[in-house]
Amino acid sequence: MDLMVDEPTARLRASLLEGLPAEALLTDPEVTSSYATDMAAFCPAGTPAAVALPRTVEQVQHVLRTATALRVPVVPQGARTGLSGAANASDGCIVLSLVKMDRIVEVNPVDRIAVVEPGVVNAVLSRAVAEQGLYYPPDPSSWEQCTIGGNIGTASGGLCCVKYGVTAEYVLGLDVVLADGRLLRTGRRTAKGVAGYDLTRLFVGSEGSLGVVVRAVLALKPAPPRQLALAAEFPSAAAACAAVCAVMEAGLTPSLLELMDGTTVRAVNALGRMGLPETTEALLLAAFDTPQAPEELAAVGELCTAAGATAVVPAEDEAESELLLQARRMSLTALDALRPATMIDDVCVPRSRLAEMLEGTAAIARAHDLLIGVCAHAGDGNTHPVVCFDPADEDETRRARASFDEIMALGLSLGGTITGEHGVGVLKKEWLARELGPVGLQMQQAVKQAFDPLGLLNPGKLF
């Protein structure tokens, strides 16, 4: 138990309990410490004064009003599966965990919308709407754990982005509690709407720095047919990237177009005994979810062969497709198994520069004598270089951090961005300033000031 509590902390906890049930406030340091970080490496975190677990909008408002009155920072959290430190606690803060607000309020098949609370798990929503013949496309790799609120906060992507787009394209409206406790409603339930500034889109990707999302109106699509996939093996990453460019130039619209470099392929082989040739330097996975999927896969296969593929293996049915896609799904786990720790980068470049990105990353790995595997949402140019290292080795850790920064610099030099879907958080805020430039940074800080003049919401993140 926490027996030594200073007077401000005691006052904060007492004030919070005026509007929260006792079970919704955690204060034991042994418990609250488990809420201090997300899954990112190299991100500092502080010690929270308390963890609030509200179940209602009114309880969230009470937490924010209390924080404003006492000038205490608030760090909103979801499932803490993030990879940028955006959910890391700061010293003396209130961690505001939204995981108990987990109701699917409405699924409307006529309007094709779902209304949900922020703690709803992505996979739970996906299964619920599927029961009514609908589809919620954004599918981060952590979809079995991550929450819709967290997805909105970081503007999450996923494997299907090449065809269906990212979270931002499915958020129609939001209920947001502002720093002073006021409730703001943005957006709409209608298919169209252009009234005023698009405040809804402003909150998507804001990492809890502008307000706390307590309800979301999400767009849904009719459920597509089950997808069919193929795998193509290449002797080089450059050849696989040439195939990606050819597929997109041909006007094809795959539901998935993923790439794994040779390091990742060998790691997957070692973990899952997938039987892929050890000489494969890149594996390209493509899938279609249309009635014409076999014909479209055949067209992709021809383009892959023309680009230099050494083998093209199409699936004959859904079960075989699932086996092919299993290799991509286990790639991060397989790379994790190679060394005691990993840092997962998230650099997005134009598709036309994808080969340069992979070749440059390989050169960085050689220069730092490190193991760096790359898996990528190739269809939208979003690469995930995974730096594998031993945190007990100070020199290797230093080289890992240096390589991480060099990969981001490489992405910017190719006309890309430092993050396609993981967000900025603590990990990349220095690089955000470089990407935005002084005028862009100044304008973003002005937006932050307008919504959060006391700087209490998720301080130390983004800027």
Side-chain angles (χ1 to χ4, degrees):
M1 297 292 294
D2 189 8
L3 300 177
M4 301 297 291
V5 179
D6 59 39
E7 192 274 334
T9 300
R11 186 168 69 251
L12 168 66
R13 294 173 178 176
S15 296
L16 288 170
L17 284 172
E18 291 176 5
L20 293 176
E23 66 272 15
L25 187 68
L26 307 178
T27 59
D28 186 336
E30 292 185 4
V31 177
T32 59
S33 63
S34 66
Y35 288 82
T37 65
D38 62 16
M39 296 181 68
F42 291 114
C43 292
T47 301
V51 175
L53 293 141
R55 291 183 179 272
T56 68
V57 173
E58 292 75 19
Q59 290 174 3
V60 174
Q61 290 180 285
H62 172 70
V63 171
L64 271 295
R65 288 176 184 136
T66 301
T68 293
L70 299 179
R71 302 299 193 263
V72 176
V74 176
V75 177
Q77 286 186 353
R80 293 181 292 112
T81 57
L83 293 165
S84 69
N88 283 13
S90 54
D91 283 330
C93 77
I94 304 167
V95 164
L96 180 56
S97 174
L98 285 307
V99 295
K100 300 294 186 182
M101 297 180 68
D102 59 357
R103 291 188 308 137
I104 299 174
V105 178
E106 177 187 355
V107 176
N108 188 318
V110 175
D111 294 333
R112 293 182 183 172
I113 61 169
V115 181
V116 304
E117 291 183 333
V120 172
V121 171
N122 185 294
V124 171
L125 174 63
S126 296
R127 294 183 183 118
V129 302
E131 291 176 2
Q132 299 199 39
L134 297 168
Y135 177 41
Y136 180 67
D139 61 341
S141 58
S142 59
W143 78 306
E144 292 281 6
Q145 295 86 35
C146 65
T147 62
I148 295 298
N151 294 168
I152 291 170
T154 57
S156 298
L159 300 185
C160 71
C161 293
V162 60
K163 179 174 182 178
Y164 292 105
V166 296
T167 297
E169 294 165 67
Y170 293 87
V171 181
L172 297 178
L174 295 171
D175 285 6
V176 181
V177 178
L178 300 178
D180 59 8
R182 288 179 296 165
L183 182 64
L184 169 69
R185 288 192 168 93
T186 75
R188 62 195 195 279
R189 291 171 59 101
T190 55
K192 296 162 65 177
V194 293
Y197 296 128
D198 189 353
L199 297 183
T200 302
R201 198 66 174 257
L202 187 62
F203 282 102
V204 179
S206 66
E207 301 183 17
S209 66
L210 301 180
V212 178
V213 172
V214 291
R215 185 169 289 192
V217 180
L218 305 174
L220 304 174
K221 290 185 175 295
R226 300 284 292 183
Q227 62 184 359
L228 287 178
L230 69 72
E233 300 165 11
F234 291 87
S236 69
C241 292
V244 170
C245 292
V247 168
M248 302 311 292
E249 188 174 11
L252 295 165
T253 308
S255 56
L256 175 149
L257 192 58
E258 297 287 305
L259 186 150
M260 298 156 54
D261 73 350
T263 299
T264 306
V265 169
R266 287 183 280 278
V268 168
N269 261 350
L271 181 68
R273 301 183 181 182
M274 300 295 290
L276 301 169
E278 290 292 317
T279 54
T280 298
E281 289 302 323
L283 184 72
L284 188 64
L285 300 168
F288 289 87
D289 59 1
T290 64
Q292 301 81 32
E295 294 82 3
E296 290 170 316
L297 284 178
V300 169
E302 291 177 5
L303 292 171
C304 288
T305 300
T310 53
V312 176
V313 182
E316 293 187 2
D317 53 32
E318 295 171 20
E320 284 192 13
S321 293
E322 186 57 33
L323 285 173
L324 291 177
L325 299 180
Q326 196 63 31
R328 171 63 180 90
R329 292 199 180 99
M330 72 169 60
S331 58
L332 294 181
T333 303
L335 289 167
D336 275 338
L338 298 180
R339 300 290 286 158
T342 56
M343 292 183 69
I344 305 174
D345 218 325
D346 170 40
V347 176
C348 193
V349 298
R351 299 183 194 99
S352 57
R353 311 298 295 274
L354 191 58
E356 295 170 81
M357 184 67 204
L358 267 67
E359 290 172 342
T361 299
I364 291 169
R366 291 191 297 270
H368 289 282
D369 191 22
L370 288 168
L371 195 64
I372 302 178
V374 181
C375 48
H377 308 310
D380 50 23
N382 193 177
T383 68
H384 293 308
V386 180
V387 183
C388 307
F389 67 102
D390 183 356
D393 184 327
E394 290 186 11
D395 182 63
E396 189 168 83
T397 300
R398 177 192 59 78
R399 287 183 280 124
R401 183 67 214 226
S403 71
F404 190 86
D405 286 342
E406 288 180 21
I407 289 167
M408 284 190 285
L410 172 63
L412 289 180
S413 74
L414 296 174
T417 176
I418 58 169
T419 176
E421 58 187 10
H422 292 172
V424 175
V426 177
L427 189 62
K428 295 187 174 185
K429 63 181 185 177
E430 173 191 343
W431 285 93
L432 177 65
R434 298 190 195 187
E435 178 172 333
L436 295 177
V439 176
L441 182 62
Q442 184 180 43
M443 296 307 297
Q444 298 227 358
Q445 290 171 331
V447 171
K448 166 71 169 172
Q449 175 69 18
F451 281 91
D452 181 23
L454 298 178
L456 297 179
L457 290 176
N458 218 4
K461 315 297 166 53
L462 291 169
F463 313 119

